[in-house]
């Protein structure tokens, strides 16, 4: 089992460009999450999903959109990237809302 | 809006010594989780402790929870170089459809050989 995978691993964007980060899990988890991690800080939740076709806002959702068209995939979109979105993005999944979360390896995004 | 805060921010000890990290939180919780993050990698779950539990063990790890003080501690015994990592606590917040884990800023642990 691959667990949670993320693509791409690295990306450099110019301000105003758009991109989509892909997260995939093969554990049949209902719950999936997108976080960002900035230096010296813990994870902050961007959006999450409690099942196929459902999404909800987290702590810092502005500037991001998400979609969960298939149970195993959770996409994070940046429509118009800004330098403030330079960060490391982590995807995670879990069996239920109160169980441990399994994390992907992260995507390091730089917006110039 | 951090719920969990770790203390200390950084800890450097000799290999073989014990390492203790603390986590404090602000509101009532259902459970508290500890995770490890090696440099540049994703987080790995260590232990989940529920609000009705006071202590939990997993190998060289021991977690305690004091709900009256709204605090938890993670003890790593007989530390090894491979334990060098950042350690995060996460507490649950919210209810029903707006349930989230809130993360602390982490404790950076360095084990010196």
């Amino acid at each position: 089992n691959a667990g949670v995978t993320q693509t791409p691993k690295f990306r450099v964007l110019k301000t105003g460009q758009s991109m989509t980060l892909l997260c995939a899990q093969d554990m049949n988890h209902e719950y999936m999450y997108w976080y960002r991690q900035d230096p010296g800080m813990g994870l902050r939740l961007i959006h999450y999903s409690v099942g196929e076709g459902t999404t909800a806002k987290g702590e810092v959702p502005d500037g991001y959109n998400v979609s969960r068209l298939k149970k195993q995939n959770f996409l994070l979109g940046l429509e118009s990237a800004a330098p403030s979105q330079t960060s490391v993005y982590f995807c995670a999944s879990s069996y239920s809302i109160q169980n441990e979360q399994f994390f992907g390896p992260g995507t390091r995004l730089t917006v110039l | 809006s951090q719920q969990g805060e770790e203390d200390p921010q950084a800890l450097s000890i000799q290999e073989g010594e014990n390492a203790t990290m603390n986590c404090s939180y602000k509101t009532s919780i259902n459970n508290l989780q500890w995770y490890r993050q090696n440099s540049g990698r994703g987080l790995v779950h260590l232990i989940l402790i529920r609000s009705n539990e006071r202590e939990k063990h997993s190998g060289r790890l021991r977690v305690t929870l004091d709900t009256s003080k709204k605090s938890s501690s993670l003890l790593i015994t007989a530390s090894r170089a491979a334990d060098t990592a950042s350690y995060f606590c996460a507490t649950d917040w919210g209810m029903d459809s707006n349930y989230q884990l809130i993360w602390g800023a982490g404790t950076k642990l360095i084990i010196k050989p």
Side-chain angles (χ1 to χ4, degrees), chain A residues 33 35 37 40-45 48 50 56-59 90 97-106 108, chain B residues 1-2 30-31 33 35 37 40-45 48 50 88 92 97-106:
Chain A
Y33 316 84
Y35 293 96
Q37 185 178 36
M41 297 184 70
L43 299 177
R44 290 186 291 170
L45 184 65
Y48 64 104
V50 300
K57 294 181 180 180
E59 182 185 355
F90 288 99
I97 203 73
Q98 295 196 25
N99 281 78
E100 65 177 286
Q101 295 186 10
F102 293 82
F103 282 81
R108 188 173 295 273
Chain B
S1 63
Q2 279 186 327
N30 293 309
N31 61 59
Q33 302 183 43
Y35 288 77
Q37 184 181 34
R41 294 175 174 247
L43 282 74
V44 175
H45 182 262
L48 181 152
R50 304 202 183 278
F88 296 88
D92 58 340
S97 62
N98 190 28
Y99 184 92
Q100 304 178 20
L101 282 186
I102 305 296
W103 299 79

Side-chain angles (χ1 to χ4, degrees), chain A residues 39-109:
Chain A
M41 297 184 70
L43 299 177
R44 290 186 291 170
L45 184 65
I46 304 171
H47 286 280
Y48 64 104
S49 168
V50 300
E52 182 178 323
T54 70
T55 63
K57 294 181 180 180
E59 182 185 355
V60 289
D62 294 341
Y64 305 94
N65 56 75
V66 288
S67 64
R68 183 101 181 265
L69 298 180
K70 293 182 179 181
K71 186 177 183 178
Q72 63 268 34
N73 295 338
F74 195 28
L75 279 63
L76 177 71
L78 287 74
E79 291 188 348
S80 180
S84 62
Q85 294 177 305
T86 293
S87 189
V88 181
Y89 292 84
F90 288 99
C91 175
S93 70
S94 66
Y95 175 72
S96 73
I97 203 73
Q98 295 196 25
N99 281 78
E100 65 177 286
Q101 295 186 10
F102 293 82
F103 282 81
T107 295
R108 188 173 295 273
L109 175 66

Side-chain angles (χ1 to χ4, degrees), chain B:
Chain B
S1 63
Q2 279 186 327
Q3 165 78 310
E5 295 186 6
E6 288 92 343
D7 167 59
Q9 290 185 331
L11 180 61
S12 181
I13 61 174
Q14 292 294 139
E15 192 169 17
E17 293 180 338
N18 295 342
T20 300
M21 289 156 272
N22 303 297
C23 170
S24 60
Y25 55 92
K26 298 174 183 174
T27 62
S28 296
I29 61 172
N30 293 309
N31 61 59
L32 183 147
Q33 302 183 43
W34 283 93
Y35 288 77
R36 183 187 73 231
Q37 184 181 34
N38 291 91
S39 181
R41 294 175 174 247
L43 282 74
V44 175
H45 182 262
L46 297 176
I47 287 184
L48 181 152
I49 186 165
R50 304 202 183 278
S51 60
N52 60 355
E53 297 175 311
R54 291 296 167 260
E55 188 171 311
K56 213 163 181 180
H57 297 256
S58 176
R60 294 183 296 112
L61 306 180
R62 173 179 166 245
V63 168
T64 61
L65 179 64
D66 187 335
T67 53
S68 67
K69 295 181 179 178
K70 291 187 170 59
S71 68
S72 174
S73 67
L74 170 66
L75 168 67
I76 303 174
T77 60
S79 63
R80 305 168 181 169
D83 295 328
T84 293
S86 291
Y87 292 82
F88 296 88
C89 70
T91 53
D92 58 340
W93 177 87
M95 56 187 299
D96 298 330
S97 62
N98 190 28
Y99 184 92
Q100 304 178 20
L101 282 186
I102 305 296
W103 299 79
T107 293
K108 188 169 184 177
L109 176 64
I110 296 173
I111 308 299
K112 296 179 288 186

